[in-house]
């Protein structure tokens, strides 16, 4: 029996110690920094900032191994909330750090500054994951780099950009895509909107033998196949192994793009000629065009290409700019007209071109993302429908795997454009459409726009709506923009009764601005010489509850009282 119990205890002990702990590693800005971790569970101190201290392993490194439950949320301190550690730049939101699942055994962080000290080093993190997978096509191990969006969500779908020649092309495309797709939110919560393109998964393809895998075929006299043996294998690897693997491991929209330069630029430009091509977007830079057969094939293809094709070339790139120059000539001579094609020249050499062309090429591939640049043209057509236009916009963005609604700010921009064109009929249709959406243009903005185009019918409707509103934002804007409403109702409509009804509703329903609306009520009644007797109670309320405010002083109350 003792032997059995001993064996069980040994198994339990072994099982306990064999559980894999999560190691938290932290780099600190100062040699003397002591670091504590605190978070949302007992093993993280339950948000007590001085309970769990990390171990010192070197001058600037601290670490601790913990048994975590997921999701884990935590922060670092030097022992108090007044010394909280910031792992993001001082101008960015200080959100909790999170580990959502047991995806690694080591998690590394860098503290850029402490709450009680100023940051003296900035950081932009563009790390990516490198993986190695055996390829049956090549019969060897292949290396790829994968960069997921910073806010990758397994419940969403993402476009994928595949970058060949990863040793030279991955960096410029990674940096450009990161910047163009970033949702930059300041500490106040304001979105500064650098999401010019959707968030994207980036896959870099490193070549084991670039010459063998990418050498273009220039002699088509005896054989019209498009690739040599090595590049044929690379195409098959992309089509049959890499793209399916990425689709199976990550949430992708299957809206795939591929990038190549020089030899790989030539290679990617041939991909659309295969029936099972998985790439909807092609970026081909510095493409050699020594073969007349190849040039004519490309000229015919781009006239009607369904894929988006960006071809970039350098003016100083002798031998690799001929195809681009000839395509540009054909576009200028109206021999080629296809909105899916963009040919652009850059003042640079062969090796300079990728850095010069990256941003322009990426923006072209995703030019329809949240794009309303065609609104003025579309809305000028006789059969224009705002609801149809918005539905087409949603469908266009679904190509990227995104479900994007037209926001209130988008609708406001439409309405503002129509006001500038003095198209009152269509302006009213946009307002009607907005009022049927969950995210609608705020009432005060509609009122302001209606005054700009002198659409007093809409102005009156908005006055009626705001006179019954229970929206706190309406209370604030009537308080802040009172002259806008009073001038319209007193000078244009000659209706002090309507103005009093409007602000009396605010007085009765707004706690925050009750004092100011009481003053406005008294002022309107007295100065318009209507229902003066009612003004007494408003003045009494103002005196009884007076506090410093931006609308009136005690002297103003005295002056109003003398007018009664």
């Amino acid at each position: 029996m003792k032997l059995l119990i001993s064996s069980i205890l040994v198994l339990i002990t072994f099982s306990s110690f064999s559980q894999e702990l999560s190691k938290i590693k932290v780099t600190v800005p100062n040699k003397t920094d002591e670091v504590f971790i605190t978070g949302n569970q007992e093993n993280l101190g339950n948000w007590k900032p001085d309970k769990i201290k990390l171990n010192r392993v070197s001058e600037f490194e601290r670490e601790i191994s913990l048994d975590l439950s997921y999701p884990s949320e935590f922060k670092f301190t030097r022992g108090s909330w007044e010394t909280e550690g910031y792992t993001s730049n001082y101008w960015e939101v200080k959100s909790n750090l999170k580990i959502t699942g047991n995806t690694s055994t080591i998690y590394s962080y860098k503290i850029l500054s402490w709450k009680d000290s100023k940051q003296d080093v900035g950081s932009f993190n563009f790390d990516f994951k490198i993986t190695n997978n055996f390829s049956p096509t090549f019969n060897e191990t292949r290396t790829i780099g994968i960069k997921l969006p910073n806010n990758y969500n397994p419940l969403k779908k993402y476009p994928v950009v595949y970058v060949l020649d990863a040793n030279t092309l991955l960096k410029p495309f990674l940096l450009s895509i990161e910047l163009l797709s970033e949702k930059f939110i300041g500490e106040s919560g304001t979105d500064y909107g650098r999401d010019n393109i959707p968030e994207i998964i980036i896959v870099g393809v490193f070549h084991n033998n670039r010459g063998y895998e990418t050498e273009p075929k220039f002699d088509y006299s005896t054989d019209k196949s498009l690739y040599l043996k090595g590049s044929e294998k690379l195409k098959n690897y992309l089509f049959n192994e890499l793209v399916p693997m990425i689709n199976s491991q990550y949430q992708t929209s299957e809206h795939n793009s591929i990038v190549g330069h020089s030899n790989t630029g030539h290679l990617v430009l041939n991909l659309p000629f295969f029936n099972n091509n998985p790439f909807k977007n092609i970026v081909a830079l510095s493409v050699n065009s020594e073969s007349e057969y190849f040039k004519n094939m490309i000229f015919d293809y781009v006239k009607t290409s369904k894929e988006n094709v960006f071809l970039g070339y350098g003016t100083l790139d002798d031998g690799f700019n001929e195809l681009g120059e000839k395509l540009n000539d054909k576009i200028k001579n109206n021999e080629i007209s296809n909105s899916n094609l963009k040919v652009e020249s850059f003042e640079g050499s062969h090796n300079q071109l990728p850095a010069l062309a990256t941003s322009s090429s990426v923006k072209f591939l995703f030019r329809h993302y949240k794009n309303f640049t065609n609104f003025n043209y579309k809305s000028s057509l006789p059969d224009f429908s705002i609801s149809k236009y918005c539905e087409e916009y949603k469908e266009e963005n679904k190509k990227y795997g995104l479900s994007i609604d037209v926001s209130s700010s988008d609708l406001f921009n439409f309405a503002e454009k129509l006001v500038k064109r003095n198209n009152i009929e269509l302006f009213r249709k946009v307002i009607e459409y907005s009022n049927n959406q969950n995210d609608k243009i705020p009432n005060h903005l509609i009122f302001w726009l209606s005054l700009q185009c002198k659409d007093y019918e809409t102005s009156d409707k908005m006055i009626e709506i705001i006179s019954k509103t229970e929206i706190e934002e309406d209370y604030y804007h009537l308080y802040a923009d009172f002259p806008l409403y009073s001038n319209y109702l007193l000078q244009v409509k000659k209706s002090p009764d309507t103005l009093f009804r409007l602000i009396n509703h605010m007085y009765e329903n707004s706690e925050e601005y009750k004092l100011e609306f009481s003053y406005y009520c008294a002022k309107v009644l007295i100065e318009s010489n209507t229902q003066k007797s009612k003004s007494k109670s408003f003045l009494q309320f103002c005196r009884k509850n007076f506090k410093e405010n931006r609308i009136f002083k005690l002297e103003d109350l005295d002056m109003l009282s003398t007018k009664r």
Side-chain angles (χ1 to χ4, degrees):
M1 175 65 76
K2 288 183 179 179
L3 180 62
L4 177 61
I5 293 173
S6 298
S7 299
I8 291 172
L9 288 173
V10 168
L11 286 172
I12 292 173
T13 303
F14 178 80
S15 173
S16 299
F17 281 97
S18 66
Q19 289 180 355
E20 206 165 30
L21 300 178
S22 296
K23 181 177 286 187
I24 308 292
K25 302 184 72 172
V26 178
T27 302
V28 296
N30 309 298
K31 296 178 183 179
T32 57
D33 289 335
E34 293 185 338
V35 181
F36 294 79
I37 188 170
T38 182
N40 65 341
Q41 53 197 265
E42 182 63 31
N43 287 348
L44 288 171
N46 286 330
W47 296 113
K48 294 179 180 178
D50 59 351
K51 187 174 181 181
I52 299 177
K53 184 178 178 180
L54 276 67
N55 303 308
R56 181 187 181 94
V57 295
S58 70
E59 287 186 333
F60 294 98
E61 292 179 304
R62 314 289 183 263
E63 68 177 40
I64 191 170
S65 294
L66 297 169
D67 182 10
L68 300 178
S69 58
Y70 305 104
S72 301
E73 294 193 26
F74 54 93
K75 290 187 174 184
F76 300 111
T77 75
R78 293 203 324 276
S80 70
W81 288 117
E82 287 69 36
T83 59
E84 179 184 340
Y86 296 148
T87 58
S88 58
N89 294 298
Y90 77 89
W91 59 86
E92 297 172 321
V93 175
K94 308 301 185 291
S95 302
N96 294 339
L97 299 171
K98 296 180 182 180
I99 301 176
T100 56
N102 191 16
T103 57
S104 177
T105 56
I106 300 177
Y107 299 91
S108 299
Y109 302 91
K110 182 177 181 179
I111 294 176
L112 299 180
S113 63
W114 302 100
K115 187 175 181 179
D116 62 344
S117 63
K118 289 187 177 181
Q119 179 178 342
D120 58 8
V121 176
S123 175
F124 294 109
N125 186 1
F126 297 115
D127 295 338
F128 61 92
K129 176 183 178 183
I130 294 178
T131 66
N132 295 284
N133 305 94
F134 180 78
S135 165
T137 300
F138 282 103
N139 194 31
E140 63 186 13
T141 299
R142 306 292 303 185
T143 301
I144 59 170
I146 302 173
K147 178 67 173 74
L148 298 180
N150 293 331
N151 302 306
Y152 179 77
N153 182 346
L155 300 179
K156 292 172 58 178
K157 292 183 180 294
Y158 297 88
V160 185
V161 172
Y162 293 82
V163 183
L164 303 182
D165 278 327
N167 61 313
T168 56
L169 293 187
L170 183 56
K171 183 177 181 179
F173 276 88
L174 189 152
L175 295 176
S176 185
I177 288 171
E178 283 276 308
L179 183 61
L180 288 170
S181 64
E182 183 181 20
K183 298 182 184 302
F184 181 69
I185 300 177
E187 195 164 0
S188 65
T190 302
D191 185 350
Y192 291 97
R194 284 211 292 259
D195 61 338
N196 302 292
I197 63 173
E199 292 180 302
I200 293 169
I201 297 172
I202 308 165
V203 178
V205 180
F206 294 89
H207 302 286
N208 291 355
N209 184 338
R210 186 179 185 274
Y212 172 71
E213 296 173 17
T214 70
E215 183 180 354
K217 179 181 178 181
F218 298 117
D219 181 11
Y220 300 88
S221 58
T222 58
D223 180 5
K224 295 298 189 293
S225 60
L226 300 177
Y227 291 136
L228 298 175
K229 185 177 180 180
S231 51
E232 180 74 19
K233 282 188 176 182
L234 181 57
K235 183 266 294 182
N236 290 337
Y237 166 72
L238 294 169
F239 282 23
N240 304 326
E241 295 183 39
L242 183 57
V243 172
M245 182 185 77
I246 296 299
N247 288 343
S248 68
Q249 293 183 358
Y250 304 100
Q251 291 296 318
T252 68
S253 64
E254 299 189 16
H255 186 87
N256 300 318
S257 308
I258 190 162
V259 177
H261 173 243
S262 193
N263 280 8
T264 55
H266 191 283
L267 186 143
V268 300
L269 205 50
N270 280 285
L271 296 179
F273 295 105
F274 295 89
N275 291 330
N276 56 340
N277 170 42
F279 300 103
K280 293 181 171 64
N281 299 313
I282 309 291
V283 175
L285 307 175
S286 296
V287 179
N288 195 312
S289 60
E290 291 181 9
S291 164
E292 289 298 318
Y293 176 84
F294 173 75
K295 280 191 289 189
N296 291 329
M297 183 177 67
I298 297 301
F299 292 157
D300 289 339
Y301 160 66
V302 296
K303 289 178 182 177
T304 58
S305 65
K306 294 181 180 178
E307 294 84 6
N308 291 305
V309 178
F310 180 95
L311 193 141
Y313 65 94
T315 56
L316 307 178
D317 192 5
D318 291 341
F320 292 87
N321 51 24
E322 180 192 6
L323 181 65
E325 289 175 344
K326 287 186 177 295
L327 278 171
N328 252 342
D329 289 341
K330 289 182 177 292
I331 291 170
K332 290 175 183 177
N333 294 330
N334 295 318
E335 296 177 50
I336 296 177
S337 178
N338 184 354
S339 61
N340 293 330
L341 170 68
K342 184 173 184 179
V343 182
E344 190 168 351
S345 66
F346 299 86
E347 192 73 20
S349 64
H350 191 75
N351 292 331
Q352 290 174 320
L353 185 62
L356 295 172
T358 301
S359 180
S360 185
S361 64
V362 171
K363 285 190 289 185
F364 173 73
L365 299 188
F366 297 97
R367 64 194 181 281
H368 296 300
Y369 174 72
K370 293 187 176 180
N371 188 353
F372 294 111
T373 55
N374 64 352
F375 178 79
N376 279 339
Y377 166 71
K378 288 275 190 177
S379 62
S380 66
L381 300 177
D383 59 346
F384 176 76
S385 163
I386 183 62
S387 58
K388 182 180 178 182
Y389 180 81
C390 292
E391 288 305 312
E392 289 175 349
Y393 165 82
K394 294 176 188 178
E395 288 299 316
E396 190 65 48
N397 282 277
K398 283 181 181 178
K399 294 178 182 177
Y400 306 129
L402 305 170
S403 179
I404 298 178
D405 284 326
V406 179
S407 69
S408 59
S409 60
D410 297 328
L411 293 170
F412 174 78
N413 287 332
F414 298 162
E416 192 173 31
K417 290 179 188 298
L418 295 169
V419 165
K420 289 178 179 178
R421 284 158 47 186
N422 203 35
N423 189 333
I424 293 178
E425 180 182 358
L426 197 50
F427 166 74
R428 290 175 179 173
K429 289 182 179 179
V430 170
I431 300 306
E432 181 182 359
Y433 177 85
S434 169
N435 288 337
N436 290 320
Q437 308 306 307
N438 291 327
D439 186 15
K440 58 186 69 178
I441 304 173
N443 292 329
H444 64 279
L445 289 180
I446 297 176
F447 178 71
W448 177 76
L449 285 172
S450 67
L451 295 185
Q452 301 303 302
C453 61
K454 297 184 178 181
D455 176 15
Y456 296 148
E457 181 179 323
T458 299
S459 304
D460 290 343
K461 287 180 180 178
M462 296 316 301
I463 290 293
E464 288 304 308
I465 291 172
I466 297 172
S467 294
K468 301 171 185 175
T469 189
E470 296 180 358
I471 301 173
E472 193 66 35
E473 186 180 14
D474 287 338
Y475 302 156
Y476 168 75
H477 281 283
L478 188 58
Y479 148 76
D481 299 324
F482 179 73
L484 188 72
Y485 293 86
S486 62
N487 289 341
Y488 173 68
L489 290 172
L490 295 179
Q491 305 300 323
V492 178
K493 301 300 292 185
K494 312 293 185 186
S495 180
D497 290 341
T498 304
L499 179 58
F500 173 73
R501 179 164 53 87
L502 176 67
I503 53 179
N504 188 54
H505 173 79
M506 303 296 165
Y507 166 77
E508 291 176 350
N509 291 277
S510 172
E511 290 299 321
E512 186 171 359
Y513 306 111
K514 196 175 186 69
L515 175 65
E516 290 86 347
F517 284 127
S518 177
Y519 175 76
Y520 281 143
C521 284
K523 182 178 176 67
V524 169
L525 291 174
I526 293 170
E527 292 185 348
S528 65
N529 200 27
T530 57
Q531 307 179 65
K532 276 190 174 183
S533 58
K534 286 186 178 182
S535 66
K536 183 178 180 180
S537 61
F538 293 115
L539 289 172
Q540 288 175 340
F541 181 88
C542 288
R543 290 189 185 280
K544 182 178 179 181
N545 298 279
F546 182 79
K547 60 182 179 181
E548 190 172 340
N549 64 86
R550 63 183 287 268
I551 302 300
F552 70 95
K553 299 177 181 179
L554 284 173
E555 303 91 271
D556 298 313
L557 288 179
D558 294 337
M559 190 175 297
L560 266 182
S561 297
T562 62
K563 293 180 180 180
R564 289 187 70 249

